[in-house]
């Protein structure tokens, strides 16, 4: 078993390794199907490897390097060294019994990101939730699924551990655009929501956090767009990723043209929303109403 990595280190290395393997394959003119055949795997397995969505076996990577004509000992050693780092265990693996694989993938991307830009409609963003708010939302989502209090608490723990990101030595920049309706949805009653609003006011003062509210009655994209997040990375070889969470799975978009559309949409949402200063005024106002 590998060592635990902080800051999304294993995820970054997995993404970098996948990108490197893709470039080597394309430079050699090898199809994914041919690459899969060489390691006794499917074309889709090669695709997942190149996207950094699965673990890597050192033997498989060595066979691929041979297929791609990488014979230099030092170059092979550098790539194979990434395999060990890419397979390191991250903190959320101990919660694997309560987290679906598709969300574990997101946690890795979130920790590796230098910038997170998110639009939320129904809920306060997970990185900004209080424990009681998180518990209320998660409990509601688990109703009718036979999920007991212990599992709910473990899911709450995961959500709270994610929040350590915002106060690390090198935290990501977070732009959170929040629909006003989420502030007025009474999760758990007035006291719980007052505490959540206080938390938003506190976090909005962090230098790496920009919180903006899309006011009720505002026209434009908010009427037709669902929630989404755009994650950006500092590593030159890593492309931005759009995360779209669905009921039982998630969609990851990384084609540059499509990512650019979501980035443009986020720019429009931010422009149509209240400024950070006016957002804080609205938070105070909603709190007083409660």
């Amino acid at each position: 078993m590998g060592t635990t990595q902080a800051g999304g280190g294993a995820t970054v290395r997995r993404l970098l390794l996948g990108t490197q393997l893709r470039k080597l394959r394309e430079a050699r003119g090898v199809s994914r199907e041919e690459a899969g055949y060489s390691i006794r795997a499917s074309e889709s397995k090669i695709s997942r490897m190149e996207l950094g969505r699965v673990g890597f076996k050192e033997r498989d990577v060595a066979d691929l390097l041979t297929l791609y004509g990488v014979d230099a000992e030092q170059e092979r050693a550098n790539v194979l060294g990434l395999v060990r780092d890419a397979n390191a265990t991250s903190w959320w693996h101990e919660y694997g019994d309560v987290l679906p694989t598709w969300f574990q993938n997101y946690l890795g991307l979130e920790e590796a990101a230098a910038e997170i830009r998110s639009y939320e409609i129904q809920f306060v963003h997970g990185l900004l939730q209080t424990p009681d708010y998180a518990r209320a939302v998660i409990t509601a989502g688990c109703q009718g699924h036979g999920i007991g209090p212990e599992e709910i608490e473990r899911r709450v723990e995961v959500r709270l551990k994610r929040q350590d990101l915002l106060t690390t030595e090198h935290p990501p920049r977070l732009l959170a655009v929040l629909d006003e309706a989420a502030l007025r949805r009474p999760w758990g009653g007035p006291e719980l929501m007052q505490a959540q609003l206080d938390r938003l006011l506190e976090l909005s003062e962090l230098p790496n956090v920009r919180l903006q509210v899309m006011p009720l009655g505002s026209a434009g994209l908010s009427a037709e767009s669902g929630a989404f997040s755009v994650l950006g990375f500092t590593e030159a070889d890593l492309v931005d990723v759009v995360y779209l969470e669905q009921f039982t799975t998630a969609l990851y978009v990384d084609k540059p043209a499509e990512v650019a559309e979501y980035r443009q949409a986020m720019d429009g949402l931010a422009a149509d929303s209240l400024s950070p200063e006016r957002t804080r005024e609205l938070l105070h106002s909603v709190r007083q109403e409660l």
Side-chain angles (χ1 to χ4, degrees), residues 13-290:
R13 287 163 178 80
R14 197 160 56 242
L15 291 167
L16 289 172
L17 177 54
T19 299
Q20 196 163 348
L21 290 174
R22 177 182 56 79
K23 289 182 176 179
L24 289 169
R25 177 182 60 77
E26 291 176 344
R28 194 70 172 183
V30 177
S31 69
R32 288 194 182 97
E33 184 179 4
E34 291 169 332
Y37 182 80
S38 74
I39 61 168
R40 303 153 297 280
S42 64
E43 178 182 352
S44 61
K45 171 71 176 292
I46 296 296
S47 178
R48 292 195 298 274
M49 289 174 66
E50 293 180 352
L51 290 170
R53 307 262 170 86
V54 293
F56 294 85
K57 293 181 181 178
E58 191 166 333
R59 184 188 67 179
D60 289 345
V61 174
D63 289 345
L64 289 173
L65 291 177
T66 299
L67 177 66
Y68 301 156
V70 180
D71 300 319
E73 184 175 342
Q74 188 58 55
E75 187 176 0
R76 290 177 68 91
N78 290 341
V79 176
L80 291 173
L82 278 176
V83 175
R84 292 181 285 276
D85 293 336
N87 288 333
T89 302
S90 300
W91 65 262
W92 56 85
H93 283 219
E94 66 180 279
Y95 295 94
D97 58 320
V98 299
L99 293 176
T101 301
W102 54 263
F103 189 66
Q104 293 181 47
N105 290 336
Y106 174 75
L107 291 177
L109 292 172
E110 185 178 70
E111 280 209 340
E115 179 187 57
I116 303 168
R117 308 176 80 203
S118 181
Y119 175 51
E120 291 287 346
I121 302 173
Q122 297 194 56
F123 314 108
V124 170
H125 192 284
L127 292 177
L128 307 176
Q129 294 178 5
T130 65
D132 286 339
Y133 183 97
R135 187 172 294 108
V137 170
I138 291 171
T139 299
C142 290
Q143 288 181 353
H145 296 284
I147 297 174
E150 182 177 346
E151 180 170 337
I152 288 173
E153 287 305 310
R154 282 173 60 75
R155 294 188 183 198
V156 172
E157 285 178 23
V158 171
R159 191 157 299 182
L160 299 181
K161 285 192 178 213
R162 286 170 57 196
Q163 298 176 3
D164 292 342
L165 272 179
L166 297 180
T167 53
T168 58
E169 185 177 355
H170 301 289
R173 298 182 301 278
L174 173 65
L175 166 62
V177 176
L178 179 64
D179 196 280
E180 184 181 345
L183 301 177
R184 299 186 178 278
R185 191 165 286 111
W187 292 106
E191 289 186 7
L192 185 154
M193 290 304 299
Q194 285 177 341
Q196 178 60 69
L197 290 165
D198 288 340
R199 179 65 171 160
L200 290 174
L201 285 164
E202 174 189 351
L203 292 174
S204 69
E205 298 289 346
L206 291 177
N208 56 305
V209 174
R210 182 181 179 92
L211 177 62
Q212 294 183 246
V213 169
M214 174 70 70
L216 291 175
S218 176
L221 185 63
S222 61
E224 59 185 62
S225 173
F228 65 94
S229 295
V230 183
L231 299 101
F233 308 91
T234 56
E235 290 76 9
D237 282 339
L238 299 186
V239 298
D240 292 354
V241 175
V242 176
Y243 174 73
L244 302 164
E245 188 168 318
Q246 300 172 349
F247 187 61
T248 58
T249 186
L251 179 64
Y252 295 87
V253 178
D254 57 10
K255 292 182 179 179
E258 295 180 17
V259 172
E261 289 191 30
Y262 279 96
R263 277 196 162 277
Q264 184 176 1
M266 181 59 74
D267 290 341
L269 286 164
D272 290 342
S273 297
L274 299 178
S275 67
E277 294 73 25
R278 291 190 61 197
T279 288
R280 283 189 281 272
E281 292 174 5
L282 177 63
L283 293 174
H284 281 294
S285 176
V286 174
R287 193 189 187 289
Q288 289 178 348
E289 293 174 19
L290 290 171

